[in-house]
Amino acid sequence: MELIVTMTIFGVFLMIIGTLTLEMRGQEKRYPVNFMQHPQVIAVLTRLRRDVLDGFGSDPYPDNAGGGKYVQSPKVLIVQTIVGGGAQTVVWDFSKPGEVHRISYNVGVPTEWVARGLPPEFAANIDAVETPGHPYGVRITALDRNHKLAIDQYLQPRAHE
């Protein structure tokens, strides 16, 4: 009887491992960007999500930043955010293939963070999304090397009181 119970428990564990493996393979097929090979993609999306969530004001997306060096476009996102109780302007520059630059202007002093090691085909496009009763959101899309949609996320600033 003990042997049968042990074999049953072992079979359940094997079934769980098999199910998880199938789920993992399914995720790999659904998402053309290999996040394990290119972890910077997750870092970019996470930081971008945080900046958009922290966007504030009646218009959290100014037209330009850096003294006019950066202008809102499908390859450049400019967001007004809250950091440590103060305001800062953050520029996301997706114009170079395989690289993303995040430049934050806190009291006019720029600080740059660069994500390298992105897939060469990672070229994000940024678009505004209108949601009634809320500030404009951001839609970020990226295509893989086969021109299939790899990333499609909507980001919305949260309400600040």
Side-chain angles (χ1 to χ4, degrees), residues 128-151:
V129 177
E130 187 174 355
T131 306
H134 297 285
Y136 279 98
V138 173
R139 180 182 184 193
I140 181 167
T141 57
L143 304 177
D144 68 354
R145 73 176 73 97
N146 299 325
H147 300 289
K148 290 184 181 178
L149 191 63
I151 296 170

Side-chain angles (χ1 to χ4, degrees), residues 85-104:
Q88 82 174 1
T89 302
V90 178
V91 177
W92 283 91
D93 185 3
F94 291 88
S95 58
K96 291 183 182 177
E99 282 186 15
V100 175
H101 295 260
R102 179 191 184 268
I103 302 105
S104 60

Side-chain angles (χ1 to χ4, degrees), residues 35-133:
F35 292 115
M36 298 302 277
Q37 185 177 359
H38 301 287
Q40 287 286 28
V41 174
I42 293 174
V44 167
L45 292 175
T46 303
R47 291 186 91 161
L48 179 61
R49 181 178 301 117
R50 185 192 67 203
D51 286 340
V52 172
L53 282 173
D54 289 342
F56 76 98
S58 59
D59 184 17
Y61 310 108
D63 293 332
N64 59 51
K69 183 178 178 183
Y70 298 100
V71 178
Q72 283 292 7
S73 72
K75 295 290 182 190
V76 176
L77 174 67
I78 304 170
V79 183
Q80 198 71 355
T81 66
I82 296 176
V83 147
Q88 82 174 1
T89 302
V90 178
V91 177
W92 283 91
D93 185 3
F94 291 88
S95 58
K96 291 183 182 177
E99 282 186 15
V100 175
H101 295 260
R102 179 191 184 268
I103 302 105
S104 60
Y105 292 91
N106 197 354
V107 193
V109 179
T111 305
E112 186 171 11
W113 175 80
V114 181
R116 294 181 179 89
L118 295 167
E121 68 275 358
F122 183 80
N125 287 312
I126 301 162
D127 197 5
V129 177
E130 187 174 355
T131 306

